[in-house]
Amino acid sequence: MTTYSVKMRASAAGRHISGAERIVTGGAVPDCVTALTRRALEHPKGEPDEVTVTVRAVDESRMEVLPVLATRNVDAGSPAEARAFIVDGLRRLGVRNPARIWELLTTVTGLRGAMLVDATSGVRLEPDPARGVRVSNLDHASADTGSPGKLHYREAIALATKVTAHPHIIAEVCISDDPDYTTGYLACEGTYTRVPAMKEPGSPVGTRVFLYDGPASEVAACVDWLENRVVLVEGL
Ligand code: PML
Ligand code: MG
């Protein structure tokens, strides 16, 4: 049976409201289209005036199956404690200026994609810095059986599993751009560490940083892999 990528994006007056994707077999496509459409129409960010759902067959010979990262939780009672944990973790991985990474995380916002940052120089490497790198073409292998409240975690760990599987990416750090969602994470060395209190509740700040440790000549291939390689995440 053919495998399909089903992608949804919704906007209102040209402003992005929500987006999501699934990778499913042919028989599951109709239900999946319904579920994603409903999600677009019921999004807390507002009612869309345009919803686009795209169904596209996937080249299965180029699909990769990856085991999900292990999950760990740390205690962080405030953004200052979260910062200390992230800065320390990045330093341990050999990131030259981890304070600069925290600064990027808490000052750059509103990107559609993520920042790709050189772990040594701290320089941003995305071809279009106004857009960032938009990781796509990934899903969990299993159907979603968790509560809707778990969606942030479920989607984020799939993304972090794909991103940190790239041989030149040593870590990902994320603060949610959802004003009411303050849990973020550090993903590296096979573990996804959830960090509460990454920001003050109500703050619209939020983005992702991928730490790149590889040759400059391979940045374009890395971006292409993140955006286009089809990945299924197994084990959650
Ligand atoms: C978690 O709950 O483990 C963190 C989820 C981060 C969600 C980021 C986003 O808003 O997409
Ligand atoms: Mg978001």
Side-chain angles (χ1 to χ4, degrees), residues 94-119:
V95 173
R96 185 73 59 83
N97 188 351
R100 148 102 181 140
I101 304 303
W102 183 264
E103 189 194 308
L104 283 173
L105 269 169
T106 50
T107 54
V108 179
T109 194
L111 296 180
R112 290 254 297 131
M115 286 177 268
L116 183 66
V117 179
D118 188 280

Side-chain angles (χ1 to χ4, degrees), residues 50-70:
E50 190 168 313
V51 180
T52 310
V53 179
T54 312
V55 181
R56 189 169 287 132
V58 161
D59 177 357
E60 283 165 60
S61 67
R62 300 200 61 234
M63 191 159 80
E64 245 173 273
V65 180
L66 299 172
V68 71
L69 298 176

Side-chain angles (χ1 to χ4, degrees), residues 152-153 156 174 176-177 181 183-185 192 194 208:
H152 277 89
Y153 162 68
C174 167
S176 175
D177 60 355
Y181 201 88
T183 301
Y185 62 87
Y192 175 97
R194 303 184 75 202
R208 291 183 151 90

Side-chain angles (χ1 to χ4, degrees), residues 71-73 149-157 159 172 174-179 181-185 192-195 199 206-208:
T71 298
R72 185 165 86 94
N73 291 283
K150 287 259 175 78
L151 207 56
H152 277 89
Y153 162 68
R154 195 177 153 83
E155 291 187 348
I157 198 169
L159 185 139
E172 177 192 347
C174 167
I175 298 179
S176 175
D177 60 355
D178 182 337
Y181 201 88
T182 58
T183 301
Y185 62 87
Y192 175 97
T193 304
R194 303 184 75 202
V195 185
K199 64 177 185 180
T207 193
R208 291 183 151 90

